[in-house]
Amino acid sequence: MSRLAREELVHHEQVMRLMKKRKIELRQLSAGRYASGLRKVVRSHEPVKLVDTLVVGAFIEARSCERFEALVPHLDEELGTFYFGLLKSEARHFQGYLKLAYQYGDAKDIAQVIDKVRAAEQELIESPDVEFRFHSGVPGASL
């Protein structure tokens, strides 16, 4: 996990450099509905809380990977190369989160957690979303 956390920090620093280079100001955003919604299915007691959190993390990383793949062909060369690198990292992170979930949890329970997270995710993706984000649902009326 510490290696993954360090890699995420490097990605953050890379994004900050790209934003500075492109003169894009950092602004505060509220938490997105997607990740917040998935975290609502996480049970509150250990050791299952850890396993649930790892499964949620795997879903978020997998969807990020899909979205980066869809974006890359539409970006300039610099951003396309950067996002392609993120795509490969997100794929590794997805696998790492699942591997850790199976390491710390029971395979039968993890299958049930995956089903629960998948159902929550489907609802989040298919329902209207009033804010456009990287992980958004169907654009709502205010968009």
Side-chain angles (χ1 to χ4, degrees):
M1 283 300 285
S2 64
R3 188 176 338 157
L4 188 145
R6 285 192 302 271
E7 188 173 2
E8 292 290 5
L9 183 58
V10 168
H11 293 162
H12 173 74
E13 291 166 350
Q14 291 170 325
V15 167
M16 297 304 292
R17 281 194 299 273
L18 276 169
M19 289 177 68
K20 183 176 181 179
K21 179 180 177 181
R22 290 170 180 245
K23 297 179 177 37
I24 300 170
E25 285 195 35
L26 183 64
R27 61 186 172 104
Q28 184 135 7
L29 295 175
S30 60
R33 184 179 75 104
Y34 176 80
S36 298
L38 291 184
R39 288 188 183 105
K40 287 180 183 175
V41 303
V42 172
R43 293 172 284 184
S44 61
H45 58 285
E46 296 296 357
V48 293
K49 180 179 180 181
L50 171 63
V51 173
D52 291 6
T53 301
L54 290 167
V55 171
V56 166
F59 267 81
I60 292 169
E61 298 292 321
R63 295 304 170 240
S64 295
C65 184
E66 291 173 351
R67 284 161 174 81
F68 286 135
E69 184 176 33
L71 283 173
V72 165
H74 305 285
L75 300 173
D76 63 58
E77 185 177 346
E78 180 183 39
L79 276 183
T81 300
F82 176 66
Y83 275 57
F84 184 73
L86 291 179
L87 181 162
K88 293 188 295 185
S89 294
E90 301 301 277
R92 281 193 318 275
H93 297 171
F94 155 72
Q95 294 167 349
Y97 277 121
L98 275 185
K99 181 180 177 182
L100 285 168
Y102 281 105
Q103 181 178 336
Y104 292 109
D106 171 75
K108 183 178 176 185
D109 182 53
I110 293 169
Q112 292 172 346
V113 172
I114 289 171
D115 288 342
K116 184 171 62 171
V117 173
R118 183 180 292 122
E121 182 193 47
Q122 182 175 353
E123 171 62 29
L124 289 162
I125 290 172
E126 292 178 352
S127 62
D129 206 332
V130 296
E131 291 184 294
F132 181 71
R133 298 287 180 91
F134 195 61
H135 297 288
S136 295
V138 178
S142 67
L143 294 176

